[in-house]
């Protein structure tokens, strides 16, 4: 699931060529972003991967009816949200990059439900 999320991100990020906030505001040097990342802001690949892993783990837990599925969902999705917020606070992405990354990650993470539907 993470591999599909990364591949899709690479395709979209290079196609849109959106400038990262750190380069826009001149703070990219402080955050250590390489110059090659200047125009790869849309959408957040880190957020997408985090939500894809959280959603797919939760989907499998629901399919297998684990007792702790609600707790797993709360913990993993909270961690994924935290990863996305950190990307915004570090001037690595705009909020819309993170929101889009979250939506893409959730869509990719729901693949187990499509492949293995409950009967």
């Amino acid at each position: 699931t993470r591999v599909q999320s990364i591949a899709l991100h690479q395709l979209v990020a290079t196609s849109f060529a959106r400038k990262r906030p750190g380069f826009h505001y001149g703070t990219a040097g402080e955050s250590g972003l390489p110059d090659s990342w200047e125009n790869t802001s849309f959408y957040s690949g880190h957020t997408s991967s985090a939500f894809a892993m959280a959603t797919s783990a939760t989907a499998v837990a629901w399919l297998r009816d684990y007792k702790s599925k609600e707790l797993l969902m709360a913990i993993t999705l909270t961690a994924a949200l935290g990863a996305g917020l950190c990307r915004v606070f570090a001037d690595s992405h705009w909020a819309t990059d993170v929101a889009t990354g979250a939506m893409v990650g959730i869509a990719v993470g729901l693949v187990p439900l499509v492949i293995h539907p409950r009967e």
Side-chain angles (χ1 to χ4, degrees):
T1 304
R2 186 171 184 270
V3 173
Q4 291 91 345
S5 179
I6 292 170
L8 182 60
H9 168 260
Q10 290 298 323
L11 176 69
V12 173
T14 55
S15 298
F16 277 84
R18 184 177 189 186
K19 187 176 277 199
R20 290 178 181 265
F23 289 96
H24 178 78
Y25 294 116
T27 60
E30 298 168 14
S31 57
L33 292 173
D35 290 341
S36 61
W37 287 17
E38 181 175 358
N39 295 311
T40 58
S41 186
F42 185 79
Y43 59 89
S44 173
H46 287 94
T47 305
S48 177
S49 292
F51 273 94
M53 289 185 283
T55 306
S56 62
T58 300
V60 170
W62 281 89
L63 286 171
R64 295 182 179 175
D65 199 28
Y66 290 161
K67 291 179 185 177
S68 59
K69 60 185 175 263
E70 291 91 356
L71 179 62
L72 175 72
M73 180 174 67
I75 291 170
T76 59
L77 291 176
T78 299
L81 178 61
L85 290 174
C86 285
R87 302 301 291 165
V88 174
F89 296 150
D91 278 346
S92 293
H93 289 287
W94 304 99
T96 52
D97 300 335
V98 169
T100 304
M103 289 186 284
V104 170
I106 290 169
V108 170
L110 290 175
V111 168
L113 292 177
V114 175
I115 294 174
H116 305 286
R118 292 188 87 158
E119 295 179 11

